[in-house]
Amino acid sequence: MTRRRRLRGAVIGGLSLVLVAGGIYTAATLLQRSEQLITEECTAAVGSQRADLATDQAANAALITAVSVRRGLPPRAASIALATAMQESKLRNIGHGDLAGPDSRGLFQQRPSQGWGTQDQVMDPVYATNAFYDALVKVPGYATLEITDAAQRVQRSAYPAAYAEHEAMGRAFASALTGETPAALNCTLRSPDTAGNPATLLTGLEAAYGAIPTAASGQTLEVDVADSYAWSVAHWAVANAKEYAVERVDVDGKRWDRKSRDGWQDAPDTGGRVAVTLAAAGS
């Protein structure tokens, strides 16, 4: 064997070591570096409409929408709520107000001084969301009003026209998260750092939807719901995949796989259930 062939063989046999910018990295290090380059975000694509949110914003959007589903409200209610929360807090549960409302708090920047509840209550996303819907359903014909008009009748904002800026986002995410449009929500995420806990996932799920029939098997939680409700739960799980270390969601012959990052793909039917599989220890 010639010296050149021996050198070539050594290079091929050492593929686990790669020279990059003057440094030697293992394959595991390169994988870690490539993971760090991934932009984590969630996208709702409905027809020609497409909207993007950061993962924490998407998780809050999923909660707001799940509460509307739990209450039996139309998707329009979720659209209004999402546009409102985006304008008020950027869909983040913030613990401070502004000059217009120094005591404003939470997803909807509700003010205790105006009867929305205590500071602790309006900082509870479930309480705050229900309080918003409680006020919204009292607005006559809210489902047929422009989002700006409906939101303003609840919030009494100093900048009512601003709600319209978030109407497209509200529509897209509400359509996906209510389950009205299947396979419409996708999140691009890095690999989870820790194993998921099915009990913790169930706690979050029930906080959003209330009591819901489930069964756990290892790292998989099966949720016994169907039709648009099933897709609402499936999209909720994807939107919360970062927090709960969700690796795979199966529903209605479709699968979202965190590792593939290809969105929803055809998969074996789960028999009318939503199957949410969490990362295992050491995976």
Side-chain angles (χ1 to χ4, degrees), residues 7-282:
L7 287 173
R8 183 182 179 189
V11 170
I12 293 173
L15 283 178
S16 61
L17 298 177
V18 183
L19 185 65
V20 179
I24 296 179
Y25 295 90
T26 65
T29 302
L30 287 175
L31 179 61
Q32 184 178 28
R33 286 169 63 87
S34 67
E35 284 278 316
Q36 293 171 348
L37 294 176
I38 294 171
T39 299
E40 294 189 307
E41 65 179 3
C42 295
T43 301
V46 179
S48 61
Q49 292 185 330
R50 177 189 172 97
D52 299 315
L53 290 175
T55 54
D56 62 323
Q57 293 174 308
N60 285 326
L63 171 65
I64 290 169
T65 307
V67 173
S68 76
V69 172
R70 178 178 181 175
R71 294 174 63 127
L73 300 177
R76 180 68 169 177
S79 296
I80 297 167
L82 293 177
T84 301
M86 188 61 155
Q87 173 58 29
E88 297 291 352
S89 69
K90 301 301 181 186
L91 274 169
R92 292 186 166 104
N93 195 35
I94 55 179
H96 59 81
D98 53 29
L99 292 177
D103 65 333
S104 300
R105 298 290 186 274
L107 288 171
F108 295 93
Q109 286 291 278
Q110 293 156 333
R111 301 182 63 182
S113 63
Q114 294 185 353
W116 284 101
T118 67
Q119 286 198 9
D120 286 344
Q121 286 175 326
V122 299
M123 281 297 296
D124 175 354
V126 176
Y127 175 93
T129 300
N130 273 303
F132 178 85
Y133 287 133
D134 286 345
L136 179 65
V137 296
K138 294 176 183 176
V139 176
Y142 76 87
T144 60
L145 294 176
E146 293 293 329
I147 282 181
T148 295
D149 293 338
Q152 175 62 5
R153 294 193 192 188
V154 174
Q155 297 294 106
R156 306 296 181 185
S157 171
Y159 308 99
Y163 297 118
E165 298 175 14
H166 311 293
E167 181 170 357
M169 179 282 300
R171 287 179 181 275
F173 272 89
S175 185
L177 289 165
T178 58
E180 187 177 54
T181 304
L185 182 74
N186 179 43
C187 293
T188 302
L189 304 169
R190 304 183 189 106
S191 298
D193 296 324
T194 60
N197 185 325
T200 303
L201 174 68
L202 179 58
T203 297
L205 183 67
E206 291 187 335
Y209 290 96
I212 194 167
T214 60
S217 176
Q219 288 296 96
T220 298
L221 184 70
E222 291 190 348
V223 188
D224 192 6
V225 287
D227 303 324
S228 63
Y229 206 140
W231 275 105
S232 178
V233 169
H235 284 151
W236 178 92
V238 173
N240 284 277
K242 181 173 183 177
E243 179 177 357
Y244 296 112
V246 174
E247 289 220 322
R248 190 171 67 248
V249 181
D250 289 275
V251 59
D252 197 24
K254 294 288 184 181
R255 172 176 293 171
W256 176 85
D257 190 316
R258 180 178 186 145
K259 293 179 180 178
S260 75
R261 303 190 178 98
D262 290 329
W264 291 93
Q265 303 293 319
D266 291 338
D269 200 325
T270 52
R273 296 181 178 87
V274 182
V276 183
T277 303
L278 309 182

